[in-house]
Amino acid sequence: KVDRSGWSKDVARPGDPLQLTAKLSGFGADTPVDFKISQSTSEGGAPLATLKGHSEDGGLATVEWVYFHDPIKVKDPRLVFEAAAGDSTALSGILTIVDWIELRLEDENGKAIAAKEIRVVDSLNTLHLPVTSKEGIARLEAVACGDATCRRKGWQIKGEVRPGDKKFRSGLRHPV
């Protein structure tokens, strides 16, 4: 049976190499193992990737994978995988994908605005409250990968005519 499965780390960034491991018992060496990677919230949806591995003499099967973020396909930055050998499966723990985001707060003339707190909510609904530097920049190094919303009371987002929050993609610089 597949006793357990797991990621090489709990948190990773797009482009990080990852190892997926499954521990088997009752199977011989060179047993084929499928590793199906999915978003933790996908209910019966297609996996993001399916990798093939084989067990070694000690019952361990390991494959390597590199995640590259696809914002159209992946809305939840929490990933899991199912390791399957024969009729036996084991679900991994959650891997959270994080990224950076940089916002530059400017007035209507493009002048940087320093020392102002900005409200940023990442794709896992975690609130971040960075303060802008003297260059007007608020940079967060570890937000959940995906779209984040930004708000500064009394300010309008550049290019936005509608009221409310504006979505910004992680891994990019944005004028605000």
Side-chain angles (χ1 to χ4, degrees), residues 14 18 33 42 47 53 61 68 84 87 90 100 129 131 143 152 154-155 157 169 171:
L18 298 162
V33 180
S42 65
F68 291 101
D87 292 335
W100 60 273
L129 298 169
V131 176
V143 296
R152 169 85 182 124
W155 294 78
I157 304 298
R169 180 109 339 115

Side-chain angles (χ1 to χ4, degrees), residues 88-109:
S88 180
T89 63
L91 193 62
S92 72
I94 292 176
L95 168 71
T96 302
I97 305 294
V98 298
D99 209 348
W100 60 273
I101 191 166
E102 186 173 289
L103 305 169
R104 184 171 191 270
L105 191 60
E106 304 173 346
D107 66 15
E108 60 276 356
N109 297 316

Side-chain angles (χ1 to χ4, degrees), residues 13-75:
R13 294 180 177 276
D16 283 356
L18 298 162
Q19 286 190 335
L20 293 70
T21 304
K23 174 68 175 150
L24 280 57
S25 60
F27 288 102
D30 207 34
T31 299
V33 180
D34 289 338
F35 296 84
K36 292 182 185 172
I37 304 165
S38 304
Q39 296 175 74
S40 68
T41 56
S42 65
E43 298 171 7
L48 298 174
T50 300
L51 308 172
K52 306 279 185 188
H54 289 85
S55 64
E56 298 173 353
D57 285 337
L60 274 182
T62 302
V63 294
E64 292 187 10
W65 184 61
V66 176
Y67 173 76
F68 291 101
H69 187 62
D70 179 348
I72 304 302
K73 197 174 183 181
V74 179
K75 299 300 181 194

Side-chain angles (χ1 to χ4, degrees), residues 141-159:
E141 290 295 333
V143 296
C145 195
D147 290 339
T149 57
C150 172
R151 181 185 299 165
R152 169 85 182 124
K153 190 171 182 156
W155 294 78
Q156 182 175 349
I157 304 298
K158 262 192 176 180

